[in-house]
Amino acid sequence: MSEQDNLSTPPEANPSAKDQSIRQMSDGAKQIAHGAKAMFEGHVAPATRRTARTVKQALAEQKDGQKPGVQGWVSWAPFALPVTGFLGIFSLFLPMVTGYGRSLNFFSRSESRGEGIFLIVAFLLVIASSIYFLASKTKRSCILAGTIGGIGGLIGCIDGFGNMAIISDGYGSVGAGAVLLSMLSTVILVASILALLGLRKSATDSSLAA
């Protein structure tokens, strides 16, 4: 083959270029997994404590006469938790990062598979606790659903937004899975806080038994 033929060969047909692209994607996936692990260890616990303090302050400052609009959001919060939890699991199977003609989700590589399983467990706990609250309507189940939902939503937010930031640094394009995970986790976190805020009114509501 002549030198001119080599120059005219497209990058897609060059095995070495393809292997290099695959190696870059693999290195990017490893970097994403390591970055997410570091975020879990360095930010989840402190952020959880800050969220707990925020909820406590909100409960202390909540007026007895809630506005109808606020009460409307509080009432739908328990129903939003299982729905968004299920959609959160679905988002883990969508592309997290795309580039070089390939896409990776949370289960494409062994480095990120543990992270995906951890998130599935977190969302399953959110779904189970919220369904338990909807079935029992007790104060204890509301606290359980709100707490588990808050922790699960916070972890999902850190993981989703953290991966988006890492991917944007040059490891490819942010996939729909990372975006959807971030959005749904934010909804779960907000719905959990609203569910806990509802305890203020439920203290005088006979529909919730202690």
Side-chain angles (χ1 to χ4, degrees):
M1 182 180 292
S2 66
E3 182 178 355
Q4 183 177 0
D5 293 334
N6 287 330
L7 292 176
S8 62
T9 302
E12 293 80 0
N14 192 333
S16 61
K18 183 177 180 180
D19 293 341
Q20 184 180 4
S21 298
I22 294 175
R23 285 195 299 270
Q24 289 176 341
M25 288 289 290
S26 177
D27 293 340
K30 292 179 181 179
Q31 187 70 19
I32 291 170
H34 293 327
K37 181 179 179 181
M39 284 190 176
F40 283 144
E41 296 174 349
H43 298 283
V44 171
T48 301
R49 289 193 292 268
R50 288 196 298 269
T51 300
R53 288 196 297 268
T54 300
V55 172
K56 184 177 180 180
Q57 291 174 356
L59 287 172
E61 296 172 359
Q62 187 75 3
K63 302 295 183 180
D64 289 333
Q66 289 180 314
K67 296 181 180 179
V70 174
Q71 183 56 35
W73 288 103
V74 170
S75 63
W76 70 255
F79 297 94
L81 286 173
V83 176
T84 50
F86 173 79
L87 293 176
I89 294 177
F90 174 74
S91 70
L92 300 177
F93 295 91
L94 295 177
M96 175 179 60
V97 54
T98 59
Y100 309 104
R102 292 166 54 88
S103 63
L104 298 175
N105 60 26
F106 284 93
F107 305 97
S108 297
R109 306 289 300 181
S110 59
E111 295 87 355
S112 58
R113 195 165 298 144
E115 181 184 350
I117 294 175
F118 179 80
L119 288 170
I120 282 184
V121 172
F123 286 137
L124 285 175
L125 290 175
V126 171
I127 294 172
S129 62
S130 58
I131 291 178
Y132 172 61
F133 169 58
L134 291 173
S136 62
K137 293 292 185 179
T138 63
K139 182 178 180 180
R140 182 177 302 174
S141 64
C142 180
I143 296 174
L144 180 65
T147 302
I148 293 178
I151 295 174
L154 185 61
I155 292 174
C157 285
I158 294 174
D159 192 274
F161 288 112
N163 278 327
M164 288 174 63
I166 295 173
I167 294 168
S168 299
D169 286 339
Y171 293 102
S173 300
V174 177
V179 175
L180 190 59
L181 173 64
S182 303
M183 294 174 58
L184 292 171
S185 298
T186 301
V187 174
I188 291 175
L189 180 59
V190 172
S192 300
I193 294 175
L194 288 174
L196 292 175
L197 289 175
L199 290 174
R200 178 72 175 181
K201 182 178 184 302
S202 66
T204 56
D205 193 339
S206 60
S207 64
L208 290 180

